[in-house]
Every structure is written in structure tokens, then in C-alpha cells.
Amino acid sequence: MVHEILVWPHPVLKQKAQPVAVVDDSIRTLIKDMFESMYAADGVGLAAPQIGVLKNVIVLDTTPRQPESKPLAMVNPEILSLEGKCSYKEGCLSVPGEAEDVERAAVVTARYLDEEGVERTITADGLLAIAIQHETDHLKGVMFVDHISSMKRELIRKRMKKIQSSMAEEVPEKPEKKKGAARSEAR
Ligand SMILES: [Zn+2]
């Protein structure tokens, strides 16, 4: 099932996700839904909080850029080591239409549980290394915009507010209490 992806600065995106105790069918369904939501939005990575689920689960697919890689689901991912440095123009499905240079480590080694609950370790470079760092950040409530200058971040925040208000206009608004009437009653 394709889920709606939350747009920053949605408050859920700032919260810390929780570890998964058991990799069961509910987690496998979550992973399936996350892949479907990511592909529907044409992304290379997605973290569970982006669809409103505060669990330590991420999915990645960088095969269009790295044909040797494979689609990857990581439960309770934990970065073991970071090596080197690189800079890459990152985007995020929760910050639509925006991309900024972010400094990251070039090579990442991470430990995680796969869809069967088996512990695995991966060493990645290139886009996959960047995506693993970007998605594990989401589990800590950190966005790529937290890695850029506050000036750029505030400009992006303004553009996101515009997107959100144009989305809200499609939904009929609740009638607001008339402040003027309340004031005249109080007199
Ligand atoms: Zn993201």
C-alpha cells in the first residue's frame, strides 16, 4: 500500500524512532509498504517516520545509479564506522523539489537485521553510503536540511509552508470562531 509521505517540518519527522523488538509479519508488511511508497514517489530511500511510523526501519534502492547494488531493507540499522569524506547534492521525499550539498562520510559500515530478522553487516560507498547516512538520520529526527546553513534552511522552510498551505486549500476548512464576536460578548 502506498502511504502519504510527510512533508518537513511535520512534527513527527523531528521525533526519534524506536527499535524493532521482533521482525515479524507486521514489520515485513511495513517494509513492503515503504518500498511501494518510495517507488511511487521515485525515491532512492525512505525511513519509516516519513510515513508516520516511528520505528527503526529504512529501505533503499540505489540500483539506477549503482547497478551492482540491490534493494535493501534495514531493520534497527546501526552505523559501525564512517570513513573518508564526500559532498553530494541531496534531496528528500519529505522536502519535495529541494536539493542541497551535504557533507557525509564516503564509506559506511552498518549492522542491521534483514526481513527475516537475521543480523547482517554491509560496507557501502557511493550513493548507497550517502543514502544509509541520510535515512538513519531520519530515525534520529534529523533531516538533511539540518546539515546546511540556517539561512538556506529557513528559505526551504518558507517554500515548504507554501506547498503545505496549497495542499490544505484542497481540504474544506473548519469554520473558525469569530474573534470579533467573542470580543463584543466579553464587553
Ligand atoms: Zn529524506
Side-chain angles (χ1 to χ4, degrees):
M1 195 175 102
V2 173
H3 291 255
E4 188 195 335
I5 294 172
L6 302 179
V7 173
W8 180 80
H10 193 289
V12 167
L13 295 170
K14 290 190 182 159
Q15 290 181 40
K16 262 189 89 172
Q18 298 302 312
V20 171
V22 186
V23 183
D24 56 12
D25 282 345
S26 75
I27 296 300
R28 282 183 280 274
T29 301
L30 171 65
I31 289 170
K32 190 169 167 281
D33 286 357
M34 286 171 63
F35 271 119
E36 286 176 17
S37 305
M38 179 184 82
Y39 290 132
D42 208 15
V44 297
L46 188 74
Q50 291 179 277
I51 58 165
V53 178
L54 287 167
K55 287 186 177 152
N56 286 345
V57 180
I58 63 175
V59 297
L60 308 133
D61 187 352
T62 57
T63 50
R65 293 288 298 276
Q66 292 172 298
E68 75 284 4
S69 69
K70 276 189 281 184
L72 188 62
M74 301 170 89
V75 177
N76 298 343
E78 189 190 337
I79 290 178
L80 300 176
S81 73
L82 297 167
E83 290 162 61
K85 262 188 188 176
C86 69
S87 179
Y88 186 84
K89 213 172 221 5
E90 289 184 27
C92 177
L93 295 177
S94 293
V95 193
E98 304 289 342
E100 293 292 341
D101 285 320
V102 178
E103 276 216 359
R104 302 276 190 189
V107 182
V108 176
T109 301
R111 180 165 58 199
Y112 64 100
L113 301 176
D114 69 10
E115 286 132 298
E116 303 306 320
V118 176
E119 189 177 300
R120 295 185 182 276
T121 305
I122 186 172
T123 298
D125 61 6
L127 183 57
L128 186 56
I130 290 159
I132 289 171
Q133 292 170 82
H134 178 117
E135 302 310 332
T136 52
D137 263 3
H138 273 301
L139 303 179
K140 294 179 274 181
V142 175
M143 304 283 297
F144 88 91
V145 292
D146 294 315
H147 292 286
I148 63 176
S149 74
S150 58
M151 199 183 77
K152 281 183 180 169
R153 183 164 57 247
E154 291 317 307
L155 287 173
I156 292 175
R157 192 191 300 275
K158 277 181 192 158
R159 290 197 285 268
M160 291 305 111
K161 293 262 180 205
K162 268 189 193 165
I163 291 177
Q164 281 164 327
S165 62
S166 69
M167 280 160 79
E169 273 165 21
E170 291 161 20
V171 184
E173 276 181 44
K174 276 187 197 169
E176 268 183 47
K177 261 192 184 175
K178 278 178 189 158
K179 279 177 190 162
R183 193 163 59 227
S184 60
E185 274 163 27
R187 264 176 204 164

